[in-house]
Amino acid sequence: MSWETVIGLEIHVQLATASKIFSGAATAYGAEPNTQACAVDLGLPGVLPVLNARVVEMAIRLGLALHAEIAPSSVFARKNYFYPDLPKGYQISQYELPIVARGRLPIRLADGREKVVRVTRAHLEEDAGKSVHDAYPGATGIDLNRAGTPLLEVVSEPDLRSAEEAVAYMRTMHMLVRYLGICDGNMQEGSFRCDANVSVRRAGSEVLGTRAEVKNLNSFRFLEKAINFEVERQIDLLESGGKVVQETRLYDADRDETRSMRSKEDAHDYRYFPDPDLLPIVVTPTQIERERALMPELPWARQQRYVTDYGLNVQDADALAQDRAVADYFEALAAAAGDARAAANWLNGEVFAALNRAGMEIPHCPVEPSALGLLIARVRDGTLSGSMAKQVFEAMWQGEGSADEVIEARGLRQVNDIGALAALIDGVIADSPSQVEQYRAGKDKLFGYFVGQVMKKSQGKANPQQVNDLLKEKLGGS
Ligand code: ADP
Ligand code: MG
């Protein structure tokens, strides 16, 4: 009998606001410990939280993108627990009434299959501080800079059936939040991370197995590895007559294993109650319409458009629409070049290669789409061959000017003059009597020799297509 894997993810999306969710302290990453924590973040008595309006707008935008319900009124609750990095003794979160509920996210799997993953809810909450274990020998430091940083926790239904599906879901959500401009997506800095709830059950069973929750996964690779380890651990346990206990586990990347952290608390352990310091979040239809008007075109709509309007294949369309800046560049380039396929090829080829070499991202690309569009047009009108165009691109990258300026300066003009080309070809034929004889006697392979000679004499400037056509005509034979 085989096993089925069941996974639900809780993704923590750090919202890209300048200040914290309930205070005016800055959220910038990497500051000196405890320099960005004010009285509110420190949990001092006598201060009150004030909601940052930006986080509500951002939650609405995600809710719209997920086709979710946006609550007209939602409530902040206190989640009570003690931990050194939580000076108030409670985390402000949302419990019974989250701001976003019942959404869905379509994901595409490696075999091309599409799957719709249901999103249970997305709620606003504040992040906790950090315990620093490696700064002082024998002591743990507390850095409260992160305390009060806004998070949107996005909880999925247990709809995912493999590590691959979980990774595809997390990647799609990552793409979406960056598109919406609500999160910088920086996983190393923890701006986008998840807890994976994993269980297994006998294939065909309708009841869910007991789950373990693996905390704080901040890379797609760790998510995949942690799930695979966990699935194997649970199956081994069950097949040897044991039981999975509901618990919280940690993934240790160095050993590629998960380890028990603590037994899982239930909601009642947290003594949730509505926070008396904060009013309910009221969202009006007007506010929702305002956010809807500000929504960018979503990545899957762009992917679809690239296939239907631009004639790209699904893989290219997906790759180009992944990132908003790349997609914007691509569309500007396609328009400037008047040729979407050529634009896609240039972007996936020369442009990305050059960006990679320089360790740069597309917003800093020194060759503007309009300039590259002119270069592509010079290939289409026959001025440049493909390899000459690459040289010109290199020169443009180095700041040597526009395509036409580089072509002039370097004398890189493909010879399209049929008369000049015919003379060149006549010369080559006259110089190679024995090759001509063999070719005409049926040695077809020699054709490449003639092409090579002509290209050489033209210093690579002859139009290869014209060379082929004219040579065939003049050599006759096959
Ligand atoms: P909490 O972790 O705070 O107790 P929930 O009980 O709502 O919250 O579950 C959180 C996540 O666990 C959700 O993503 C849900 O889909 C997933 N989940 C719940 N039960 C299971 C299960 N048996 N197997 C796998 N995932 C599960
Ligand atoms: Mg949980």
Side-chain angles (χ1 to χ4, degrees):
M1 267 226 274
S2 62
W3 295 93
E4 182 179 48
T5 301
V6 175
I7 304 156
L9 296 189
E10 295 163 87
I11 298 182
H12 300 264
V13 179
Q14 184 178 309
L15 297 175
T17 56
S19 61
K20 293 186 177 175
I21 183 168
F22 300 120
S23 83
T27 53
Y29 181 85
E32 281 295 302
N34 300 309
T35 55
Q36 291 179 172
C38 68
V40 172
D41 310 317
L42 295 173
L44 296 185
V47 293
L48 288 170
V50 177
L51 179 61
N52 181 338
R54 291 283 100 73
V55 305
V56 176
E57 296 165 6
M58 291 179 174
I60 294 172
R61 248 178 272 164
L62 184 75
L64 288 172
L66 297 175
H67 298 284
E69 292 165 18
I70 295 156
S73 172
S74 65
V75 172
F76 282 110
R78 290 187 182 180
K79 181 179 182 179
N80 299 278
Y81 66 94
F82 173 78
Y83 206 71
D85 64 17
L86 190 72
K88 296 196 300 297
Y90 59 87
Q91 177 194 26
I92 305 178
S93 181
Q94 295 193 295
Y95 182 52
E96 279 165 326
L97 284 173
I99 186 162
V100 169
R102 279 175 289 281
R104 54 182 196 274
L105 186 70
I107 60 172
R108 180 140 38 216
L109 303 165
D111 62 7
R113 199 160 47 92
E114 190 182 278
K115 172 168 179 151
V116 176
V117 181
R118 292 171 301 160
V119 172
T120 317
R121 56 188 275 152
H123 60 256
L124 287 166
E125 61 184 27
E126 59 177 346
D127 208 343
K130 271 183 194 166
S131 298
V132 182
H133 298 295
D134 52 9
Y136 312 98
T140 291
I142 299 293
D143 176 6
L144 292 170
N145 281 352
R146 199 179 65 180
T149 300
L151 298 178
L152 190 57
E153 177 173 332
V154 187
V155 182
S156 84
E157 289 291 307
D159 282 350
L160 304 158
R161 291 292 172 270
S162 64
E164 188 214 338
E165 290 189 7
V167 170
Y169 170 77
M170 193 175 177
R171 279 190 187 280
T172 308
M173 193 69 78
H174 187 243
M175 168 170 82
L176 178 61
V177 296
R178 282 176 304 134
Y179 250 81
L180 296 173
I182 65 174
C183 174
D184 67 18
N186 190 325
M187 297 174 77
Q188 262 138 32
E189 293 177 2
S191 303
F192 188 87
R193 55 191 199 261
C194 86
D195 304 337
N197 294 268
V198 182
S199 67
V200 298
R201 64 182 173 190
R202 290 287 183 189
S205 164
E206 292 291 319
V207 264
L208 291 174
T210 304
R211 72 183 143 127
E213 177 173 359
V214 188
K215 283 277 182 199
N216 253 326
L217 298 161
N218 71 341
S219 89
F220 300 120
R221 207 164 52 88
F222 292 168
L223 173 64
E224 180 179 4
K225 291 189 152 206
I227 291 172
N228 287 333
F229 178 88
E230 203 41 39
V231 167
E232 222 171 286
R233 183 187 73 86
Q234 293 184 16
I235 293 175
D236 284 351
L237 201 56
L238 293 168
E239 288 190 339
S240 59
K243 265 189 166 166
V244 175
V245 288
Q246 185 167 321
E247 63 183 353
T248 301
R249 299 178 70 87
L250 259 191
Y251 176 68
D252 179 337
D254 294 331
R255 299 198 195 178
D256 188 23
E257 63 178 28
T258 66
R259 277 201 305 277
S260 182
M261 216 164 114
R262 53 173 191 256
S263 69
K264 173 97 180 105
E265 340 26 42
D266 283 314
H268 62 250
D269 296 326
Y270 288 116
R271 292 141 46 237
Y272 277 103
F273 65 89
D275 192 314
D277 288 344
L278 286 155
L279 291 168
I281 305 174
V282 172
V283 176
T284 63
T286 319
Q287 205 175 353
I288 294 178
E289 288 323 307
R290 195 165 58 222
E291 292 309 318
R292 199 193 300 281
L294 294 173
M295 292 275 283
E297 186 184 17
L298 295 180
W300 30 91
R302 281 186 140 173
Q303 285 161 359
Q304 188 57 47
R305 200 156 52 73
Y306 293 176
V307 173
T308 51
D309 297 1
Y310 290 162
L312 300 189
N313 64 40
V314 174
Q315 286 77 12
D316 283 350
D318 276 11
L320 290 170
Q322 282 291 322
D323 181 279
R324 204 166 145 187
V326 170
D328 288 343
Y329 189 102
F330 165 65
E331 290 184 25
L333 181 58
D339 181 343
R341 303 225 96 260
N345 290 339
W346 270 89
L347 195 50
N348 285 327
E350 297 307 302
V351 179
F352 280 143
L355 287 169
N356 279 341
R357 276 196 300 273
M360 277 161 48
E361 304 272 353
I362 201 117
H364 304 111
C365 182
V367 181
E368 295 283 321
S370 53
L372 182 51
L374 286 176
L375 171 58
I376 294 174
R378 287 291 167 265
V379 177
R380 212 183 25 249
D381 70 15
T383 309
L384 297 174
S385 69
S387 65
M388 291 160 104
K390 286 180 187 172
Q391 285 181 49
V392 175
F393 177 75
E394 268 307 308
M396 290 166 71
W397 183 279
Q398 302 300 338
E400 291 180 27
S402 72
D404 286 341
E405 284 163 358
V406 174
I407 290 167
E408 268 326 301
R410 298 195 172 193
L412 283 168
R413 198 171 275 281
Q414 188 166 243
V415 176
N416 288 311
D417 175 343
I418 298 280
L421 193 58
L424 256 175
I425 289 177
D426 289 340
V428 168
I429 289 177
D431 289 346
S432 328
S434 74
Q435 283 90 343
V436 172
E437 196 179 319
Q438 289 174 53
Y439 177 79
R440 287 187 173 143
K443 199 166 175 192
D444 292 349
K445 274 192 294 189
L446 275 172
F447 191 71
Y449 160 83
F450 293 110
V451 174
Q453 289 298 307
V454 176
M455 292 308 287
K456 199 164 139 197
K457 287 217 163 163
S458 77
Q459 290 161 329
K461 292 177 191 170
N463 177 330
Q465 190 56 51
Q466 283 181 0
V467 172
N468 264 283
D469 295 347
L470 261 183
L471 260 175
K472 283 223 170 93
E473 198 182 302
K474 286 188 179 281
L475 284 168
S478 39

